[in-house]
Amino acid sequence: MSISQEFLIGAAGLCVDFDERRVLDRIDLTLGEREIVTLIGPNGAGKTTLVRTLLGLQRPSAGRLSRRPGLRLGYMPQRVTVDAVMPMNVARFLRLGARHRAAVARTAARLGVEGLLGSPIQGLSGGEMQRVLLARALLRDPQLLVLDEPAQGVDVGLQAAFYRLIRQIRDEQGCGVLMVSHDLHLVMAATDRVICLNGHVCCTGRPEAVSRDPAYRQLFGGTDTRGLAVYAHDHDHAHDVLPAMGEEGAIDKGGSDA
């Protein structure tokens, strides 16, 4: 597989080994401008390892990686651990990734966390922390936004709104989005393309097609896909998302860095 320069990021034949155990096997992946791609798969499928490899944090054992020269990345990790004895409030945490205080204030207001700016980062709830991490990723004005389990810790009632917010961010900023999730049901309406991963690419395509694929059903069990339509609807109108949220180069054969 060749990787065209029209893509923001891509992988061809990507493999990752840990202690002689193959974790990722011959992964082909591309992500274009304004495209939302979601990686799904069971625990241990290699989703976070693939993201780390695409970001350059994990060296592949084989294969090729390509990123657009000068690509600006915004990364929202699955979790961040902050030392309990370190005095840091949300405003200071956000300023670590921003050049201007005004940008912090604008982004915090956009995500409904302006009221948390003076709060200690260690005292945030799970949902509050996820919104702060998303704000920090957006402060880099990314061309590619990478989100590892972005709705983790968000109340179930607000998860659909959170994913709609991500789509709205894509529409407004024109960035590409790579998301990791373990549940296709929740991201159905927010993604353009799904890659089902279990050490290798099991299936890929539009979420409706993936939900009917035998490989997907084998991984996640069952044949009843009616639940996948819960959040699916046309996107020819605007969502009042923010108030709802406020309510609550090539690389060939090389070594492996375990």
Side-chain angles (χ1 to χ4, degrees):
M1 173 187 173
S2 61
I3 304 172
S4 169
Q5 287 299 307
E6 70 184 84
F7 296 111
L8 297 174
I9 196 166
L14 194 71
C15 300
V16 175
D17 298 334
F18 290 152
D19 297 327
E20 300 183 357
R21 178 175 66 92
R22 180 137 294 183
V23 178
L24 294 175
D25 186 34
R26 292 172 294 178
I27 304 296
D28 293 338
L29 178 151
T30 57
L31 194 150
E33 294 179 347
R34 302 182 65 87
E35 185 179 22
I36 301 179
V37 174
T38 299
L39 297 173
I40 65 168
N43 291 335
K47 302 185 296 293
T48 295
T49 297
L50 177 55
V51 168
R52 286 176 54 82
T53 305
L54 293 173
L55 293 176
L57 303 175
Q58 169 67 47
R59 184 175 178 83
S61 304
R64 297 181 61 246
L65 289 177
S66 177
R67 281 196 296 267
R68 179 173 293 182
L71 180 67
R72 295 192 307 277
L73 289 165
Y75 176 48
M76 178 181 168
Q78 194 172 126
R79 62 182 62 88
V80 168
T81 301
V82 180
D83 193 324
V85 300
M86 181 181 295
M88 181 179 293
N89 61 22
V90 170
R92 184 179 174 193
F93 177 76
L94 291 177
R95 284 199 296 269
L96 294 175
R99 296 180 181 179
H100 306 292
R101 291 181 180 234
V104 169
R106 285 195 306 270
T107 304
R110 183 182 188 189
L111 296 187
V113 297
E114 67 271 36
L116 300 174
L117 291 176
S119 302
I121 195 77
Q122 297 91 340
L124 299 182
S125 70
E128 289 169 343
M129 188 63 178
Q130 292 305 94
R131 285 184 280 148
V132 167
L133 289 175
L134 179 57
R136 190 165 185 263
L138 290 176
L139 283 167
R140 298 182 61 85
D141 188 24
Q143 296 166 308
L144 175 60
L145 187 59
V146 181
L147 311 172
D148 193 351
E149 296 282 6
Q152 179 175 273
V154 177
D155 289 345
V156 173
L158 290 178
Q159 287 179 359
F162 194 90
Y163 282 114
R164 289 198 301 269
L165 172 63
I166 291 169
R167 191 175 183 101
Q168 182 176 324
I169 288 168
R170 185 282 304 270
D171 292 342
E172 292 176 356
Q173 297 195 193
C175 59
V177 179
L178 177 63
M179 283 196 293
V180 173
S181 179
H182 65 277
D183 193 341
L184 181 58
H185 293 63
L186 292 174
V187 299
M188 178 77 167
T191 194
D192 300 316
R193 184 159 50 96
V194 172
I195 298 174
C196 187
L197 191 70
N198 192 22
H200 64 283
V201 175
C202 302
C203 52
T204 185
R206 297 283 299 177
E208 316 87 74
V210 168
S211 71
R212 296 189 295 267
D213 194 286
Y216 171 83
R217 297 186 182 187
Q218 183 177 1
L219 278 179
F220 291 94
T223 58
D224 186 353
T225 60
R226 286 174 296 175
L228 292 172
V230 171
Y231 300 128
H233 56 276
D234 294 333
H235 287 272
D236 58 353
H237 58 282
H239 292 284
D240 190 19
V241 174
L242 297 183
M245 293 302 299
E247 290 174 2
E248 156 11 347
I251 299 178
D252 295 315
K253 182 73 177 177
S256 172
D257 295 339

